[in-house]
Amino acid sequence: MKKIILITIFMVSWVSTAQINLRGVVKDSIGSPLEMANVIALDTVAKRIASFGFTDAKGNFKLDLRNNTVYNIKISYIGYKEVSTFITTKETNISQSFNMVEDKMLDGITIVSKMPVTVKGDTIIYNADSFKNGSERKLEDVLKKLPGVEVNDAGEIEVEGKVVEKIMVDGKEFFSGDTKLASKNIPSNAVDKIQVLRNYSNVNQLSGVQNNQDRVAINIKLKEGKKNFWFGDVTLGAGNSPDDGLYLFQPKLFYYTPKYTINVIGDVNNIGDVVLSRRDVRSFGGGFQSQSPSNGTNINIADAGIGFLNASARNANRIETKLSALNFSYSPNKKLDLSGFLIWSGNSSGQRNINSIDYIDPNTPDDLVDNTTDQTSNTGLFRFSSIYKKDFNNQLNYDITGRFSNEFKTEDINSRVLSDITENERATPFKINQNLSYFYTASEKSIFALEVKHLLQDEDPFYVASLENDPNNNDAINPENRDGFDDAASTLGLDRSNMFYNLEQDRRVKSNQLDAKLDYYYILNTKSNLNFVAGTILSTQNFNSRFFQILDNGIELDPNPTIPGINDAQSTNDTEYNFTDIYAGLRYRLKAGIFTITPGFTIHSYNSKNTQYGTEFFQDKFAKFLPEFEVIAQFKRSESLNFSYKQEVNFTDVNQIARGIVANSYNSFFAGNADLINASFHNLTLRYSSFNLFNASNVFARINYRKTADQVNRNTIFAPGSVVSSSTSINSPLDNESLTAFFGLGKTIKKIRMRLGGNFSYNKSYQFINSRENTNENISKGLNASIGTNFTKAPNVTFRYRVNFADQSNSARSADVKSITHVPSIDFDAYIWNSLTVRSDFSYNETRQEGNVLNLFKIWNAKLAYRKNKDAKWEYELVGSNLLATGSQASVNQSIISFNVNERFILPRYVSLRVRYQL
């Protein structure tokens, strides 16, 4: 480690020597400064860009140059003639001003195509080759090197702290629904330009009447040689591990023409290289980005399916994945664009977790649970979308997305309190989303936007659990002599005379929701407009379930639960839930100087009703006025401050209302509450963003405060002396509060990139355990920092350090629970002799509680790749993961009922040899 630090210091010193600064000011012909003018210095001997920069709001720029060198200084700005002059550097810094004159012949404007970064309005254009050193293989590798762009731990792309919502290739959407498919599969050598589209809008007609500052997209421009030809790569791999032989096959092929495109991605491997996890698949392609703001109503259609664990190389000890994905687009003419995808994903994984559980309730015994899981998920996805633009005034969009799954899960559990348990789950759910939108510009002052979306969802999870039982100790005087499940079995109404508690549950949840709204924009003048909105949400859900026991003689028993705190609990559910929202609203948008002010409101008429067992009826009808306000201060083109306030209401779904018993797991049973009312909350957000190309820095910060009334919480009731709980939904009598904040600061000095970030969260909620109210407060705060090199001709090293502090206090505990996690890491990346790529990453993770080490683990991965040169078709890789053979890693989790330390067993040491052929 010391040697690496010394090498890094040497590199920094080497970069800093023998350099001088060229400073100057760029103005127009009348002396007004020009902001964001491109300034580059071309080395006249090496024939390459030696330095580049941009002017700030006062026209200032700064370039770092070598002494005793001749440079060609070029300055360009849209609408002005290019300035080109030669400067010879000496031993001292240089200061010089430049004046630009307007160019009436716009066709004659020359834009330097190889400028590393160019800014045109809200679009930032990166020249990909300017940030490569030769070790890159996929788009993600290039994105990580761009100023202002980050790839977070979840694999999402962030620009100035905002998550990129879509990636397009030559203007065609690439597998809409998940940007990771693009970032992890598009070859880096096919990328010419990366265009970051800030304030992005799918509809040009609405871009001038809405605030889109939270929306960001990326468009990839391909190199000319990659068009009208198939490109991509095919990778084959094999290897060895302590338990199994390893295999990998990944074809990734792409074909682009102006009229149509085809993208094919395949994957078969057991190395833990998951292209799409089950979590990704369940959220893939199902979202609909409305073109107008939210109108204040949230109704959550929850997932009633199997509680799968998300498998990755860091929480599973076996992963087998299969993927076939086809994406296409077709433009028969300039008015019509058709696109879609077909995806089949199969994931099978094995996981083992040892969970140490410290329950908040002092009367509940702490538990140690060893859980072994095998799970399989097979999912098919499809999407078809069309965009028809008759002319500038008319645009019609339609898309349909479907997901069909077949899922299985088996768990073998050993609990210190409950002994041995076996669980089995299976489900075959499906979900279909349809979206229709029409945008019509009636005149220069009138724009109409109609949006309709429809959701159809069907879920059918089936659950089986088997727990050991000794029928002879059910009524032992000493509770410690009874089985851990006996008292819970009594309150659930089970037959306790069997050798096993064999429990089964059949559920069916059907959801049908329609959301339609019409926006009318009336443009008052160039500075202001009105937005009238009217719409409705219609939702119907049916919930049917049956919880029963299979006796040793095979007879089915319908239990009769008598759970304290849950009145008249049933073992079945037959619930229909209907929800209606009819609303109208008005927003006024005004631009005044640097400010954009948007006050508004919506008025809602709500009607929610549910029917239980066909005989019990519950209804809630009321009206609500929901104000909202937003103000944006645009200090500079790339610097803004945004404040927003919004009052919203949140409605739960049928899963929380159906009052019959539902088995969430062997130790957690739930009964809904038919009398639940909606929650309402106040949401305030303050956000600052600055992207300064003049001094190569970017800053973003966000703070959010939310106060929620009538929050849907739970009353959790533990069986005496047992870890088995039954719970029901309740509306919290006190307001819940949360405060979250984060910031990020990035700075580049010559070839050194530095980043500092921080986060803070505070959450205060009220829970009920055994019908006693408890106040629960969680405080989490952390810092992360990194420093690294960004050379294009030399190895790169990046050091990172992350520390997180967690503090939980609960009125049921006598003392707070505090933990600290330290995670230092180092990445090494080098491209040597124009043929050899060396990449390595190492991380150290330590978690402490009250000064004691709860867990410590180290992870080291490395890759060695050889290709004859950058344009070689064949490449050979030796890849090693978890080279230190770390067996497990732990995490600390704090919930409203317990404090958990979870040890996860991970994939063993894998070493594989891979061969890649590049088309």
Side-chain angles (χ1 to χ4, degrees):
M1 178 69 74
K2 292 181 179 179
K3 291 182 179 179
I4 295 175
I5 295 174
L6 289 174
I7 292 171
T8 304
I9 294 172
F10 171 75
M11 289 180 175
V12 174
S13 302
W14 173 70
V15 170
S16 302
T17 58
Q19 289 192 335
I20 61 99
N21 292 329
L22 169 63
R23 295 177 179 269
V25 180
V26 178
K27 301 179 180 180
D28 62 15
S29 57
I30 61 174
S32 299
L34 294 176
E35 182 183 5
M36 300 306 292
N38 299 316
V39 185
I40 66 172
L42 298 172
D43 189 319
T44 56
V45 176
K47 304 297 182 184
R48 62 178 178 83
I49 295 177
S51 183
F52 72 94
F54 299 84
T55 56
D56 63 10
K58 297 181 180 180
N60 297 310
F61 72 88
K62 182 184 70 172
L63 300 181
D64 296 316
L65 305 176
R66 289 188 176 278
N67 55 12
N68 301 315
T69 308
V70 179
Y71 293 98
N72 182 7
I73 306 299
K74 291 180 176 287
I75 304 174
S76 60
Y77 193 87
I78 295 178
Y80 289 79
K81 291 183 178 180
E82 181 185 87
V83 172
S84 178
T85 186
F86 290 88
I87 289 178
T88 302
T89 61
K90 302 296 183 182
E91 302 292 335
T92 58
N93 295 332
I94 302 174
S95 179
Q96 187 168 338
S97 298
F98 300 89
N99 289 90
M100 304 187 73
V101 296
E102 293 186 22
D103 191 344
K104 305 298 183 181
M105 302 296 293
L106 294 179
D107 292 338
I109 296 176
T110 300
I111 302 297
V112 180
S113 61
K114 295 300 181 181
M115 183 72 181
V117 185
T118 306
V119 179
K120 297 180 180 179
D122 289 325
T123 301
I124 305 173
I125 306 170
Y126 298 93
N127 179 54
D129 287 343
S130 299
F131 298 92
K132 298 177 185 177
N133 70 346
S135 67
E136 303 81 10
R137 294 299 180 269
K138 301 302 177 184
L139 172 63
E140 180 183 53
D141 300 327
V142 183
L143 292 172
K144 291 178 178 179
K145 298 181 178 182
L146 304 182
V149 180
E150 299 286 340
V151 179
N152 62 28
D153 293 338
E156 298 172 320
I157 305 165
E158 295 182 354
V159 175
E160 300 170 24
K162 304 166 190 173
V163 175
V164 173
E165 70 178 61
K166 71 165 62 177
I167 289 184
M168 298 171 287
V169 179
D170 278 348
K172 307 294 185 181
E173 195 163 351
F174 188 92
F175 282 102
S176 59
D178 195 316
T179 59
K180 290 193 287 294
L181 264 184
S183 64
K184 294 183 178 296
N185 290 284
I186 295 177
S188 60
N189 63 359
V191 179
D192 183 26
K193 300 285 193 302
I194 299 173
Q195 298 175 331
V196 174
L197 312 175
R198 298 176 296 177
N199 298 314
Y200 175 73
S201 174
N202 290 331
V203 183
N204 292 332
Q205 296 157 271
L206 302 182
S207 59
V209 294
Q210 293 181 333
N211 299 328
N212 296 305
Q213 70 280 353
D214 288 333
R215 302 186 61 187
V216 182
I218 286 179
N219 182 47
I220 304 300
K221 300 293 291 182
L222 297 174
K223 293 183 176 180
E224 288 301 322
K226 302 300 180 181
K227 300 177 182 178
N228 300 308
F229 294 98
W230 282 98
F231 68 93
D233 55 59
V234 179
T235 303
L236 284 170
N240 196 14
S241 72
D243 300 319
D244 300 303
L246 305 177
Y247 58 84
L248 178 143
F249 175 58
Q250 294 179 332
K252 301 173 182 181
L253 309 174
F254 312 92
Y255 188 83
Y256 278 82
T257 71
K259 198 169 186 177
Y260 65 90
T261 68
I262 300 175
N263 304 298
V264 180
I265 297 175
D267 180 26
V268 179
N269 80 80
N270 67 343
I271 298 179
D273 186 4
V274 180
V275 177
L276 281 180
S277 68
R278 177 183 179 271
R279 178 184 297 171
D280 296 332
V281 168
R282 291 191 70 83
S283 61
F284 197 95
F288 172 67
Q289 178 66 57
S290 175
Q291 299 305 310
S292 64
S294 167
N295 291 300
T297 300
N298 301 300
I299 178 168
N300 179 33
I301 304 298
D303 181 3
I306 295 177
F308 263 64
L309 300 174
N310 198 43
S312 70
R314 294 295 164 259
N315 67 1
N317 53 27
R318 178 185 63 83
I319 299 178
E320 299 176 24
T321 182
K322 299 176 182 178
L323 177 74
S324 298
L326 169 68
N327 178 223
F328 72 91
S329 68
Y330 176 57
S331 302
N333 53 59
K334 294 182 179 181
K335 297 181 179 181
L336 180 62
D337 287 312
L338 306 174
S339 63
F341 60 69
L342 292 171
I343 299 175
W344 179 82
S345 173
N347 291 310
S348 178
S349 63
Q351 296 174 299
R352 185 186 176 200
N353 294 268
I354 298 178
N355 200 6
S356 177
I357 308 173
D358 177 11
Y359 286 97
I360 290 175
D361 182 16
N363 298 318
T364 301
D366 295 336
D367 202 0
L368 182 67
V369 178
D370 190 339
N371 189 317
T372 301
T373 304
D374 284 296
Q375 56 188 26
T376 299
S377 175
N378 297 307
T379 301
L381 292 155
F382 76 87
R383 179 183 176 93
F384 173 78
S385 62
S386 61
I387 301 176
Y388 177 66
K389 297 181 180 180
K390 180 181 178 181
D391 48 43
F392 180 80
N393 297 326
N394 291 268
Q395 179 173 329
L396 177 66
N397 301 344
Y398 171 77
D399 66 74
I400 179 171
T401 305
R403 185 186 73 225
F404 301 84
S405 299
N406 189 7
E407 303 174 333
F408 310 87
K409 184 173 80 167
T410 299
E411 292 187 271
D412 292 317
I413 304 147
N414 178 266
S415 164
R416 185 167 59 193
V417 177
L418 299 178
S419 189
D420 293 330
I421 307 110
T422 299
E423 288 186 311
N424 291 280
E425 294 182 80
R426 66 177 185 266
T428 56
F430 73 84
K431 181 178 182 179
I432 297 176
N433 281 286
Q434 294 185 84
N435 304 300
L436 174 69
S437 54
Y438 177 60
F439 308 96
Y440 172 59
T441 302
S443 66
E444 293 183 355
K445 291 185 174 292
S446 298
I447 302 174
F448 292 88
L450 173 67
E451 295 181 334
V452 182
K453 58 180 178 179
H454 178 254
L455 166 67
L456 184 65
Q457 182 171 289
D458 193 335
E459 299 174 289
D460 60 347
F462 187 80
Y463 174 77
V464 178
S466 179
L467 297 88
E468 291 183 338
N469 179 45
D470 181 358
N472 299 315
N473 64 9
N474 292 335
D475 300 314
I477 297 176
N478 186 349
E480 294 183 359
N481 294 329
R482 304 171 195 161
D483 294 324
F485 196 76
D486 284 344
D487 290 340
S490 177
T491 62
L492 289 170
L494 302 178
D495 187 331
R496 301 192 297 169
S497 65
N498 295 263
M499 296 300 296
F500 290 90
Y501 292 112
N502 292 313
L503 312 177
E504 296 190 6
Q505 176 179 266
D506 193 7
R507 270 190 295 169
R508 190 71 177 270
V509 184
K510 296 181 179 180
S511 303
N512 193 331
Q513 181 171 308
L514 178 70
D515 188 343
K517 60 181 175 180
L518 176 66
D519 283 278
Y520 170 62
Y521 297 90
Y522 181 73
I523 302 173
L524 298 172
N525 50 54
T526 58
K527 299 291 185 180
S528 61
N529 64 269
L530 295 172
N531 170 209
F532 300 89
V533 61
T536 184
I537 300 175
L538 306 174
S539 177
T540 299
Q541 290 185 286
N542 294 95
F543 187 110
N544 292 280
S545 71
R546 180 183 175 225
F547 171 66
F548 55 99
Q549 180 183 6
I550 304 295
L551 304 181
D552 288 350
N553 59 11
I555 296 176
E556 295 182 3
L557 171 68
D558 292 322
N560 185 23
T562 55
I563 302 173
I566 301 178
N567 297 326
D568 193 23
Q570 305 290 319
S571 61
T572 61
N573 274 296
D574 179 9
T575 304
E576 180 178 334
Y577 176 54
N578 293 283
F579 170 81
T580 303
D581 173 23
I582 300 175
Y583 60 88
L586 172 65
R587 298 182 182 92
Y588 174 64
R589 184 171 182 261
L590 171 67
K591 288 187 175 182
I594 66 170
F595 297 100
T596 300
I597 305 170
T598 311
F601 66 88
T602 52
I603 301 174
H604 298 254
S605 174
Y606 294 112
N607 185 2
S608 63
K609 55 183 178 181
N610 70 85
T611 304
Q612 309 271 345
Y613 308 107
T615 58
E616 304 172 13
F617 304 95
F618 303 85
Q619 186 171 11
D620 187 18
K621 298 178 65 175
F622 64 97
K624 190 78 172 179
F625 176 83
L626 301 177
E628 60 185 73
F629 177 77
E630 182 178 44
V631 58
I632 303 171
Q634 195 75 41
F635 304 113
K636 300 175 185 177
R637 184 177 297 178
S638 297
E639 183 184 14
S640 63
L641 181 67
N642 174 274
F643 170 79
S644 64
Y645 164 77
K646 200 162 195 175
Q647 185 176 345
E648 297 181 281
V649 293
N650 193 59
F651 290 85
T652 188
D653 77 334
V654 72
N655 291 280
Q656 300 291 327
I657 293 172
R659 67 177 186 83
I661 288 292
V662 173
N664 291 327
S665 69
Y666 67 90
N667 65 348
S668 177
F669 297 85
F670 174 75
N673 182 356
D675 293 319
L676 283 179
I677 63 174
N678 66 284
S680 60
F681 55 86
H682 302 269
N683 197 71
L684 296 92
T685 302
L686 182 65
R687 183 177 58 252
Y688 173 79
S689 176
S690 174
F691 183 63
N692 193 328
L693 286 171
F694 170 72
N695 59 16
S697 66
N698 60 87
V699 181
F700 57 86
R702 176 187 174 100
I703 184 169
N704 175 263
Y705 172 76
R706 173 175 289 194
K707 186 174 184 178
T708 308
D710 299 315
Q711 176 69 46
V712 176
N713 288 345
R714 291 193 175 185
N715 179 18
T716 302
I717 301 161
F718 284 92
S722 176
V723 296
V724 180
S725 66
S726 299
S727 59
T728 187
S729 298
I730 59 172
N731 289 109
S732 175
L734 300 173
D735 292 347
N736 290 1
E737 293 180 281
S738 68
L739 176 69
T740 60
F742 71 87
F743 77 91
L745 168 63
K747 175 71 174 177
T748 300
I749 301 177
K750 301 184 187 331
K751 294 294 184 179
I752 306 301
R753 294 185 64 181
M754 296 172 288
R755 188 182 185 278
L756 177 66
N759 62 276
F760 173 86
S761 67
Y762 168 79
N763 184 69
K764 182 179 182 180
S765 61
Y766 298 91
Q767 64 186 37
F768 292 82
I769 299 178
N770 295 331
S771 299
R772 295 194 302 270
E773 178 187 322
N774 294 305
T775 301
N776 192 73
E777 293 182 286
N778 282 298
I779 297 177
S780 177
K781 51 193 174 183
L783 285 173
N784 60 85
S786 68
I787 180 170
T789 60
N790 192 22
F791 298 118
T792 56
K793 300 293 183 180
N796 289 300
V797 180
T798 301
F799 296 93
R800 296 183 177 89
Y801 176 73
R802 175 169 57 87
V803 60
N804 191 75
F805 303 86
D807 184 356
Q808 182 190 47
S809 64
N810 190 285
S811 57
R813 288 184 183 273
S814 58
D816 294 354
V817 177
K818 299 181 179 181
S819 62
I820 305 175
T821 301
H822 299 274
V823 186
S825 63
I826 181 172
D827 295 349
F828 178 80
D829 180 348
Y831 186 58
I832 307 170
W833 307 313
N834 291 324
S835 59
L836 187 64
T837 298
V838 181
R839 303 181 75 172
S840 178
D841 62 87
F842 171 81
S843 64
Y844 173 95
N845 193 304
E846 180 187 88
T847 300
R848 290 176 174 266
Q849 180 185 340
E850 305 298 338
N852 299 315
V853 177
L854 293 179
N855 186 258
L856 184 154
F857 61 88
K858 308 169 187 177
I859 299 294
W860 178 34
N861 305 308
K863 181 177 79 171
L864 186 66
Y866 170 79
R867 56 182 175 179
K868 188 175 181 180
N869 53 57
K870 288 185 178 182
D871 299 321
K873 297 291 186 181
W874 292 94
E875 182 172 21
Y876 308 92
E877 295 180 344
L878 183 63
V879 181
S881 60
N882 191 13
L883 290 172
L884 300 178
T886 299
S888 64
Q889 60 185 49
S891 62
V892 174
N893 304 298
Q894 296 171 322
S895 71
I896 61 174
I897 63 172
S898 64
F899 177 88
N900 302 345
V901 179
N902 184 31
E903 182 183 8
R904 305 182 302 274
F905 290 81
I906 65 175
L907 293 177
R909 179 193 291 121
Y910 279 176
V911 178
S912 62
L913 177 64
R914 307 180 188 185
V915 179
R916 177 182 292 112
Y917 178 76
Q918 179 178 289
L919 276 68

